[in-house]
């Protein structure tokens, strides 16, 4: 994503689509939070960067999982 606003919009759109599809609440929540690693504070990413791990688009899922 070019910036966090686009990523936020993407997450909201995913949750909205799940809601329109009458998905269970847990699925809507999962859709909303699926990219939470994109939004975590810099301190969370600093440790992973130090370990040589990617924290961009490719590594955000690890940040989200650790969160």
């Amino acid at each position: 994503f070019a910036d966090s606003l686009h990523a936020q919009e993407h997450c909201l759109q995913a949750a909205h689509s799940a809601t329109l599809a009458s998905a269970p609440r847990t699925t809507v929540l999962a859709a909303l939070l699926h990219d939470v690693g994109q939004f975590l504070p810099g301190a969370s990413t600093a440790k992973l960067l130090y370990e040589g791990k990617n924290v961009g688009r490719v590594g955000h899922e690890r940040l989200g999982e650790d969160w």
Side-chain angles (χ1 to χ4, degrees):
F1 300 101
D3 58 37
S4 65
L5 179 59
H6 289 130
Q8 291 172 11
E9 290 173 354
H10 165 70
C11 290
L12 290 171
Q13 288 172 346
H16 182 67
S17 293
T19 300
L20 291 177
S22 300
R25 293 167 91 184
T26 53
T27 302
V28 174
L29 183 59
L32 179 65
L33 296 177
H34 79 276
D35 276 339
V36 71
Q38 298 278 9
F39 311 109
L40 294 174
S44 299
T45 60
K47 181 179 182 289
L48 292 176
L49 283 170
Y50 179 76
E51 295 172 356
K53 298 183 173 74
N54 188 338
V55 295
R57 288 176 144 183
V58 176
H60 73 277
E61 65 278 358
R62 166 117 188 243
L63 288 169
E65 178 183 8
D66 290 348
W67 179 71

